[in-house]
Amino acid sequence: MDAFMQAALEEARQGYHEGGIPIGSVLVHDGRIIGRGHNRRVQEGSAIRHAEMDALENAGRLPASTYRACTLYTTLSPCPMCTGAILLYGIPRVVIGENRTFTGEEALLRSRDVTVEVLQETACIELMSAFIRERPELWNEDIGV
């Protein structure tokens, strides 16, 4: 597993240990992490604080040219909300840890010329699978079921 996906996985594990939903993300520009985050819906009582949104928020306000030169790493396939943010800011590349437990809007990203790579990392699959078994009601709430 590369260092950036490892950092996203560390964020996911942090969220899990905080009692939240174990999804992590990092925003990378010029080979360095400029924003990192994890799903904080439970911890902050937030409707929108998914991992990707948290990483973007923690990166702070950036010029459009910076977003257009970034890669977003996320442990799980992005939902419609996070996909919208990726498209809004013109992030050209998304690396996904896994999409077996949930497949988000990958087709939409690809249709808008975003490069999407799905790694199927065992550690990402195992963490989400364990969480879904342990907290199905929380998982269903997060994905709007």
Side-chain angles (χ1 to χ4, degrees):
M1 178 180 315
D2 80 14
F4 299 129
M5 186 54 68
Q6 183 63 45
L9 182 58
E10 289 167 11
E11 286 289 330
R13 288 180 175 142
Q14 181 179 342
Y16 181 76
H17 292 302
E18 293 171 356
I21 298 157
I23 304 167
S25 185
V26 296
L27 185 65
V28 176
H29 182 262
D30 283 341
R32 106 185 145 80
I33 295 171
I34 60 170
R36 58 189 316 139
H38 54 275
N39 187 305
R40 295 177 195 264
R41 289 187 69 246
V42 172
Q43 300 91 316
E44 295 184 4
S46 171
I48 62 167
R49 205 62 169 224
H50 283 192
E52 299 90 340
M53 304 296 275
D54 195 44
L56 287 167
E57 180 68 18
N58 290 331
R61 184 175 166 203
L62 301 168
S65 60
T66 299
Y67 292 115
R68 288 193 302 265
C70 283
T71 297
L72 183 75
Y73 288 77
T74 182
T75 58
L76 188 65
S77 187
C79 75
M81 176 179 63
C82 296
T83 295
I86 292 162
L87 294 174
L88 176 68
Y89 291 110
I91 297 169
R93 181 172 174 246
V94 178
V95 180
I96 299 168
E98 66 104 350
N99 67 0
R100 290 187 185 160
T101 60
F102 176 80
T103 302
E105 299 297 324
E106 296 168 27
L108 177 57
L109 290 169
R110 288 184 178 105
S111 78
R112 299 282 297 273
D113 296 322
V114 175
T115 300
V116 176
E117 297 173 40
V118 182
L119 304 177
Q120 303 302 13
E121 288 285 353
T122 302
C124 295
I125 296 167
E126 289 174 352
L127 181 60
M128 275 309 298
S129 296
F131 170 76
I132 291 167
R133 278 192 310 275
E134 293 165 10
R135 305 284 308 273
E137 73 292 341
L138 185 54
W139 174 236
N140 288 336
E141 173 193 319
D142 196 63
I143 60 172
V145 175

